[in-house]
Amino acid sequence: MNFKDRLQQDFSTMTLVLIPVAIVLNIVVGQIASTLSLPIFLDSIGTVLIALLAGPWVGALTGLLTNLIWGLISDPITAAFAPVAMVIGLVAGLLARAGLFRQWWQAILSGAIIAIALSFVAVPIRVYMFGGVTGSGADFVTAYLLAVGRDLFSSVIITVISSNLLDKVVTAVLAWAIVKALSKRFVARFPRATAVVGN
Amino acid sequence: MTLYLSTNGPLHRLHPLTKLTWLLAVLAAALLGPSGWLPLGLFLVAWLLAAWGGVGRVWLGRNGRILLPLILMLFVIHGFFNPNGQTPLLTLWRLTLTQEGVAYAFLLSSRLATIVGAALLLLLTTHPGDLLTALTERGLPPALAYIISSTLYILPQMQSKATAILQAQQARGLETEGSLWRRARALLPLLAPLVLGALVDSEERAIALESRGFRVRGPKSSLVELPDSPGQRWLRAGLLLGILLLIGWRVWRLFA
């Protein structure tokens, strides 16, 4: 099957209606995590979930649109991090395709890989566009690292990975568990999902 | 729910693409243009435009809430800890404020303020639906427009569903306060019904769309007509030309 046919199969009507649901899940579950004042964001769970069901391209688009829409409804700054959300969806889909989302321990590993992969995009945006600053508590970590003599780039790498590692591991495990909990009839609508649940 | 304010000022009556092109031009000027006072000047222009459009106060308030924490931390982190800081301005206890650090913080702050200010101008005065209609007329795939408007439609529904699930589980004795372990354990009983329910609902929407010819190819007519004017077309062309000139100037400077 060539790339164009593959994309057409990826973006079925079922996928098109699922993308808004995934975007809304990113936003609402992120809000639940902050209601429970958990130390993680969980605001990419919909992106990872749809990447497991419908593949890396759908995952990337969902991540991109999540941040653009978030920018539209509350804070335009979020839109600047759209490439980061894209990488999360893309990498989650690629890992699933490579068979790294079959078991729970693989999901943990995949979450860690996602956290490292996203920092390749997140760190340059944070450093060059925002001077390494987020306007949140994480800035004190960056300030401390700078004060003890690290340069800005490596300080931001440490801040980004340490604040994302646990979050992405929990996100990946939850998304894996949700896919496993879905009915066979529902999952059968997504040919890519066999890489996660088997045949 | 979005940032849009449903008043009716002169900015509201402009074509969405005119405002979007303005945003792109400001983005190009802030990122590629000469630094110094230009970004701050564009921020003041945006303020004047917001006041003229009748959204000045909301514009200022939103800007403050988004920008102030960032700008404050930029000045603290770069003012005191910028590794390139050489020239001391003043010393507080063991920390030294440097001129290079303050200059860098000023550069980044004025850039961010300009971009956020221009984006808010568009978002406060343009209904998302109008923006999507305008973009679809210019070739944005209708499927993308569907995804975005459907998201804006589902979001409040899902938020109230999440609240209902939270209250129902609390009524059954679920503890959502206390130690971290206790709060973390509350996550699953909240997520499972929300996520699984949302996924199953989406199947019905897919069937409804299919049966109404959503995937049919060919031209589709729009219910909404957006007013445009020759003046605005010229303005957009001029702004696009300006953006191209800026990019050209940057590329030329790179090699010259």
Side-chain angles (χ1 to χ4, degrees):
Chain A
M1 198 180 336
N2 67 27
F3 186 66
K4 206 181 152 211
D5 292 341
R6 179 88 246 195
L7 273 189
Q8 230 153 43
Q9 193 192 330
D10 276 355
F11 287 90
S12 64
T13 307
M14 192 57 205
T15 312
L16 285 181
V17 298
L18 204 60
I19 293 174
V21 173
I23 297 173
V24 169
L25 280 179
N26 284 336
I27 299 175
V28 174
V29 176
Q31 285 166 343
I32 291 178
S34 80
T35 306
L36 295 174
S37 35
L38 297 178
I40 48 178
F41 321 116
L42 288 183
D43 55 359
S44 50
I45 189 165
T47 307
V48 176
L49 179 65
I50 204 168
L52 298 189
L53 289 173
W57 309 114
V58 177
L61 179 73
T62 305
L64 174 80
L65 290 176
T66 298
N67 280 45
L68 291 185
I69 290 174
W70 212 320
L72 195 70
I73 59 184
S74 67
D75 179 355
I77 296 268
T78 326
F81 290 96
V84 181
M86 249 175 106
V87 168
I88 294 172
L90 184 74
V91 173
L94 290 175
L95 288 168
R97 190 160 74 179
L100 278 169
F101 259 105
R102 288 180 188 279
Q103 307 291 332
W104 61 269
W105 58 269
Q106 289 177 318
I108 293 178
L109 183 71
S110 292
I113 296 174
I114 293 171
I116 292 163
L118 76 88
S119 66
F120 280 93
V121 191
V123 172
I125 296 178
R126 268 217 208 164
V127 170
Y128 294 117
M129 195 117 187
F130 297 92
V133 161
T134 55
S136 71
D139 292 347
F140 293 103
V141 181
T142 314
Y144 170 75
L145 291 167
L146 282 172
V148 297
R150 281 194 173 275
D151 61 306
L152 187 61
F153 213 87
S154 67
S155 307
V156 174
I157 292 178
I158 293 173
T159 326
V160 166
I161 294 188
S162 63
S163 63
N164 270 294
L165 193 59
L166 181 64
D167 175 53
K168 295 303 173 284
V169 167
V170 174
T171 300
V173 172
L174 283 174
W176 170 85
I178 291 167
V179 173
K180 286 279 183 187
L182 287 170
S183 70
K184 269 195 176 149
R185 194 184 66 84
F186 184 86
V187 173
R189 284 174 162 273
F190 300 95
R192 296 259 199 187
T194 49
V196 178
V197 295
N199 284 308
Chain B
M1 185 196 52
T2 60
L3 290 168
Y4 175 66
L5 291 175
S6 56
T7 52
N8 191 13
L11 284 175
H12 287 70
R13 288 190 288 273
L14 287 179
H15 193 270
L17 288 184
T18 309
K19 289 176 272 186
L20 186 65
T21 321
W22 165 256
L23 171 61
L24 292 178
V26 170
L27 211 61
L31 295 175
L32 303 173
S35 47
W37 295 98
L38 175 74
L40 219 54
L42 286 170
F43 183 75
L44 293 177
V45 171
W47 191 356
L48 288 176
L49 285 173
W52 176 63
V55 293
R57 272 184 53 190
V58 182
W59 182 86
L60 202 62
R62 284 275 171 191
N63 261 312
R65 217 175 310 161
I66 294 168
L67 290 168
L68 281 180
L70 279 172
I71 292 179
L72 191 74
M73 288 313 287
L74 268 173
F75 275 93
V76 169
I77 286 194
H78 286 280
F80 291 105
F81 303 109
N82 191 310
N84 297 324
Q86 303 272 326
T87 329
L89 286 177
L90 74 143
T91 303
L92 293 170
W93 186 51
R94 282 160 58 191
L95 301 172
T96 312
L97 192 70
T98 64
Q99 196 190 329
E100 290 81 1
V102 170
Y104 189 65
F106 175 77
L107 170 74
L108 288 184
S109 312
S110 56
R111 252 189 211 162
L112 285 179
T114 314
I115 295 170
V116 171
L120 281 177
L121 209 54
L122 167 76
L123 297 178
L124 290 177
T125 63
T126 314
H127 191 279
D130 290 345
L131 184 60
L132 287 173
T133 308
L135 288 172
T136 314
E137 279 173 6
R138 296 297 194 283
L140 181 85
L144 265 182
Y146 164 77
I147 291 173
I148 297 171
S149 45
S150 169
T151 305
L152 296 175
Y153 180 72
I154 308 176
L155 182 58
Q157 293 177 7
M158 203 99 109
Q159 273 168 332
S160 56
K161 207 169 177 179
T163 315
I165 292 172
L166 179 69
Q167 286 168 347
Q169 297 286 37
Q170 277 172 333
R172 293 178 60 216
L174 182 80
E175 299 192 62
T176 55
E177 278 158 25
S179 70
L180 177 62
W181 173 237
R182 211 177 252 176
R183 281 176 283 137
R185 271 198 320 191
L187 193 61
L188 221 50
L190 295 180
L191 283 195
L194 182 74
V195 177
L196 298 177
L199 292 181
V200 172
D201 286 347
S202 66
E203 204 171 358
E204 280 174 27
R205 269 197 297 277
I207 297 166
L209 282 175
E210 290 269 336
S211 64
R212 282 164 185 76
F214 181 64
R215 298 310 283 261
V216 174
R217 286 155 192 273
K220 291 171 184 172
S221 46
S222 170
L223 184 65
V224 187
E225 295 243 0
L226 298 166
D228 203 354
S229 66
Q232 290 190 58
R233 278 191 208 106
W234 279 107
L235 180 64
R236 293 201 292 267
L239 287 171
L240 285 175
L241 187 69
I243 295 172
L244 287 178
L245 285 176
L246 258 172
I247 294 173
W249 177 70
R250 266 284 140 168
V251 174
W252 179 73
R253 282 245 324 232
L254 217 59
F255 294 106

